[in-house]
Amino acid sequence: MREITKLILIIFVFEVLLFLVASAIPQNNPTLVSQFNSTEKQILNVSYFGKVIHIYTHNLMVAILDFIPAIGLVVLAISIYSTGMVLSAFSSTLNVSGLLAAIGLMTLPHSWLELPSYAIASGSGLYIIIRPKEWIRGLLTLIIVPIELFLAALVESGEFYVSNPYMLWLYAIPAFVFLYFFYEFLQKTADKYIASKVKITQQPVSNYFPQTQPNLIQNPYADYITKYNQNWNLASYYETQGNIIEAMRYYWEALYYLITAVGLKLGMPTYSKEDYDNIIRSVGYKIGNPQLYDIYNEAFKIRVENRINDFSLFKTYISELAKYLHMI
């Protein structure tokens, strides 16, 4: 799971809990009730699209404030707590528990479109502070917020016109599916952009061949070592982002290039898997570790079967293989 996704989920859980806590605190405040009635009256006296625009513009303004890095978290907390207080005050006039009213509100489809959007806005702003070099991810993630809020406004406005508001889940569920894939699209776009900007840190050429041979850098061996470094760094980047599938892919490609380089150094062919097996066996015997092939074979199985749950074990195998290959 990506770091920004974890951040958004944490903020969302905090948001929901705060809303439930605030609504559970008994409120006997006529001013809050009056404000609620006034707002509700304004909404009821306009057309469907009037309701959509009224709800959308208000919620969008709140989300924009939530996006302000760091400050947005405070704004989110205040707005959610205030909403819970108003709900509690209004519920008390109906002799209904504020907490019960909040739980009931959470069962409506618009709540699960609207509330996550605030968490996404706050999480995007906070991510820019945590990962300033990846600010583009925060901005790209924010794109989903106005779209999600508009869908929420459509659903919430529709709840005024149907006898059973739960029927609107039929419209909300496709919206959730669309938003999920759109969110993934935005994250993958950010991955590609950031990966293209990642500074590839190459190890000194002197680590791999003598400096007394200046023309050796034009040798394919040096090219494969460079590709090994590039892929290893990309794999590390994707691992920090929680993109295990891409991390596993690039770690394996890095190992492939390293084995190829070692094969060239040993004068061994690299045309088939059997050739690579032979290189690993040869390295194992040279360094006195014949079990190296078993490690390589286990890593190969995890990669081929795409067993992301075994990624930690895969990374351990790959790292050990790289360490021994560097000894040649």
Side-chain angles (χ1 to χ4, degrees), residues 164-182:
N164 185 354
Y166 295 105
M167 293 173 56
L168 293 175
W169 275 107
L170 296 174
Y171 297 91
I173 291 175
F176 290 134
V177 174
F178 162 74
L179 290 169
Y180 170 78
F181 284 106
F182 186 57

Side-chain angles (χ1 to χ4, degrees), residues 204-219:
V205 174
S206 59
N207 288 353
Y208 301 106
F209 45 83
Q211 292 185 349
T212 55
Q213 303 178 32
N215 293 327
L216 192 56
I217 194 168
Q218 298 177 1
N219 190 285

Side-chain angles (χ1 to χ4, degrees), residues 221-284:
Y221 171 82
D223 294 335
Y224 284 118
I225 291 297
T226 297
K227 290 177 181 178
Y228 157 74
N229 285 316
Q230 292 173 341
N231 281 273
W232 192 276
N233 280 280
L234 278 174
S236 298
Y237 165 74
Y238 281 117
E239 183 180 359
T240 62
Q241 292 301 308
N243 193 339
I244 301 303
I245 293 178
E246 288 298 297
M248 186 179 288
R249 170 193 164 194
Y250 280 106
Y251 275 128
W252 185 256
E253 287 189 12
L255 184 68
Y256 162 84
Y257 286 121
L258 183 57
I259 297 173
T260 304
V262 171
L264 288 172
K265 197 171 186 179
L266 296 175
M268 300 178 69
T270 54
Y271 298 112
S272 65
K273 182 181 181 300
E274 184 178 356
D275 292 335
Y276 285 92
D277 292 350
N278 290 334
I279 292 171
I280 294 296
R281 289 192 183 97
S282 178
V283 171

Side-chain angles (χ1 to χ4, degrees), residues 6 52 60 71 83 139 150 167 175 211 220-221 261 306 325-326:
K6 293 178 182 178
V52 172
L60 183 61
I71 298 175
T83 302
L139 288 182
F150 184 70
M167 293 173 56
Q211 292 185 349
Y221 171 82
N306 208 26
L325 287 166
H326 279 309

Side-chain angles (χ1 to χ4, degrees), residues 35-274:
Q35 291 176 354
F36 177 85
N37 289 331
S38 176
T39 302
E40 186 178 37
K41 187 176 181 179
Q42 290 177 7
I43 296 176
L44 289 174
N45 290 335
V46 296
S47 65
Y48 170 75
F49 288 107
K51 290 182 177 64
V52 172
I53 297 302
H54 181 89
I55 294 171
Y56 178 67
T57 53
H58 173 268
N59 292 344
L60 183 61
M61 183 58 66
V62 173
I64 291 173
L65 295 175
D66 290 342
F67 174 69
I68 300 174
I71 298 175
L73 284 175
V74 179
V75 174
L76 175 63
I78 293 174
S79 64
I80 289 297
Y81 189 81
S82 299
T83 302
M85 289 177 59
V86 171
L87 180 63
S88 177
F90 177 75
S91 299
S92 66
T93 63
L94 303 176
N95 294 321
V96 175
S97 166
L99 179 59
L100 187 61
I103 294 174
L105 193 62
M106 291 294 295
T107 63
L108 296 177
H110 81 270
S111 296
W112 293 94
L113 286 167
E114 180 181 328
L115 293 180
S117 66
Y118 300 139
I120 293 173
S122 294
S124 299
L126 186 59
Y127 188 82
I128 292 176
I129 294 179
I130 297 174
R131 297 270 186 177
K133 293 183 179 179
E134 298 180 13
W135 57 270
I136 189 66
R137 186 183 298 280
L139 288 182
L140 284 173
T141 304
L142 185 66
I143 293 174
I144 202 172
V145 173
I147 299 173
E148 186 170 4
L149 285 176
F150 184 70
L151 294 173
L154 290 175
V155 174
E156 185 174 0
S157 299
E159 291 172 1
F160 288 93
Y161 295 92
V162 294
S163 57
N164 185 354
Y166 295 105
M167 293 173 56
L168 293 175
W169 275 107
L170 296 174
Y171 297 91
I173 291 175
F176 290 134
V177 174
F178 162 74
L179 290 169
Y180 170 78
F181 284 106
F182 186 57
Y183 176 84
E184 284 298 309
F185 168 76
L186 293 174
Q187 297 308 317
K188 288 179 181 179
T189 301
D191 286 343
K192 292 178 182 178
Y193 179 85
I194 296 171
S196 68
K197 299 297 181 181
V198 171
K199 182 178 181 181
I200 304 300
T201 55
Q202 299 183 17
Q203 298 182 27
V205 174
S206 59
N207 288 353
Y208 301 106
F209 45 83
Q211 292 185 349
T212 55
Q213 303 178 32
N215 293 327
L216 192 56
I217 194 168
Q218 298 177 1
N219 190 285
Y221 171 82
D223 294 335
Y224 284 118
I225 291 297
T226 297
K227 290 177 181 178
Y228 157 74
N229 285 316
Q230 292 173 341
N231 281 273
W232 192 276
N233 280 280
L234 278 174
S236 298
Y237 165 74
Y238 281 117
E239 183 180 359
T240 62
Q241 292 301 308
N243 193 339
I244 301 303
I245 293 178
E246 288 298 297
M248 186 179 288
R249 170 193 164 194
Y250 280 106
Y251 275 128
W252 185 256
E253 287 189 12
L255 184 68
Y256 162 84
Y257 286 121
L258 183 57
I259 297 173
T260 304
V262 171
L264 288 172
K265 197 171 186 179
L266 296 175
M268 300 178 69
T270 54
Y271 298 112
S272 65
K273 182 181 181 300
E274 184 178 356

